[in-house]
Amino acid sequence: MEQPVEVPDAACWPVERLRALALPRFGRDRPPGRRPYVTVSYAQTLDGRIATRTGDARWVSGPESLAFAHCLRAEHDAVLVGVGTVVADDPRLTTRLVVGPSPRRVVVDSRLRLPLAAAVLADGAAAGTTVVATRDAPTERVQRLRDLGATVLLVESSADGRVALDDALERLAAEGIRTLLIEGGAGMITAALRAGVVDRLAVCVAPKLVGRGVEAVDNLDITHMRRATRLEDVEIARLGDDLLIAGRPVAADDRA
């Protein structure tokens, strides 16, 4: 279950600075009908972990980074996570630490194993939640989610039976989502980077080491450092004890 967050007095937050950092870059100019402008954001330790080896991730970053994460939510039309994140953490995916609207919640769940008691469905939250599944998802699970008030989108499958990300993004754009924030988990982050659909990457690095744990990014099939995806238009900011590094990911094949 999501635990309460201990935060400093709101007057201590550089809220306007956080909001400026959270604004999507160029996203509002994207023509209707294309995929949403995609921001990927997460917090990691100095050694690149988003959770310990037991899966514990409360909390990787400090309160200022958490406030920034909520500013990001407020500045995007929707926030997306994989079903593994919901099962592990049961997040509400709302904007609570700053003043601003809560985004639409999107859960990618190929076979609809989302618990019906999850916070994104409970107490009327289902009406603001979209679940994206493959066309092979069990019909009875689709109906139960719709009965709760959730929107269920059935999209094409990828070669490994997962939700085809390109089709999912097109469907979300058709639903009116122009700016999309992907928060995790590692599988979703990796899939978005591999698909080349990330317009902005914003990573909060906490001054912590945990050793073995859950890596933020899995295999990108990069075997030589010269082929690494690089950030351009880089922004760096201090958020309390954490360091925010943000920019536009550019794959080797797309660099001039």
Side-chain angles (χ1 to χ4, degrees):
M1 294 290 292
E2 188 168 88
Q3 300 299 316
V5 183
E6 293 185 8
V7 296
D9 188 275
C12 297
W13 293 347
V15 174
E16 293 308 316
R17 180 166 170 252
L18 293 181
R19 287 193 184 281
L21 290 169
L23 283 171
R25 306 300 192 254
F26 320 117
R28 297 296 174 180
D29 296 329
R30 186 178 294 280
R34 296 182 58 185
R35 67 167 178 83
Y37 177 97
V38 175
T39 300
V40 168
S41 184
Y42 56 88
Q44 68 171 42
T45 60
L46 203 57
D47 48 353
R49 305 297 188 254
I50 58 175
T52 67
R53 62 183 178 83
T54 65
D56 180 55
R58 302 295 172 84
W59 295 97
V60 172
S61 58
E64 291 84 2
S65 291
L66 286 170
F68 171 68
H70 282 235
C71 283
L72 280 171
R73 290 179 183 179
E75 296 296 342
H76 287 74
D77 295 333
V79 55
L80 180 150
V81 297
V83 67
T85 295
V86 177
V87 171
D89 300 334
D90 196 24
R92 284 178 279 178
L93 301 179
T94 57
T95 300
R96 305 182 306 282
L97 303 186
V98 297
V99 177
S102 289
R104 184 158 193 85
R105 296 169 291 275
V106 179
V107 180
V108 174
D109 182 6
S110 58
R111 297 291 296 171
L112 295 184
R113 59 189 181 96
L114 177 66
L116 298 181
V120 294
L121 298 175
D123 300 321
T129 298
T130 295
V131 183
V132 183
T134 67
R135 302 187 192 281
D136 295 325
T139 304
E140 66 276 9
R141 294 287 294 181
V142 172
Q143 191 57 52
R144 291 190 70 180
L145 287 169
R146 287 175 173 164
D147 289 344
L148 287 174
T151 298
V152 181
L153 300 180
L154 300 179
V155 303
E156 298 298 329
S157 302
S158 61
D160 59 1
R162 300 176 186 271
V163 164
L165 190 56
D166 55 350
D167 191 24
L169 293 178
E170 288 182 10
R171 292 291 302 279
L172 290 172
E175 293 287 312
I177 294 173
R178 294 171 60 88
T179 53
L180 178 69
L181 173 65
I182 297 178
E183 290 192 346
M188 283 306 312
I189 294 168
T190 303
L193 288 169
R194 286 178 65 97
V197 298
V198 182
D199 297 292
R200 189 178 187 224
L201 181 66
V203 180
C204 292
V205 182
K208 300 175 182 177
L209 299 168
V210 299
R212 184 181 176 188
V214 180
E215 296 177 339
V217 181
D218 205 340
N219 180 30
L220 297 178
D221 286 335
I222 295 172
T223 56
H224 295 84
M225 192 57 69
R226 68 177 182 274
R227 304 291 297 173
T229 295
R230 297 181 58 181
L231 288 190
E232 296 187 358
D233 304 323
V234 175
E235 299 171 274
I236 299 175
R238 179 87 175 262
L239 300 181
D241 290 334
D242 303 334
L243 191 66
L244 168 67
I245 303 174
R248 178 169 55 90
V250 180
D253 290 341
D254 296 328
R255 292 199 288 269

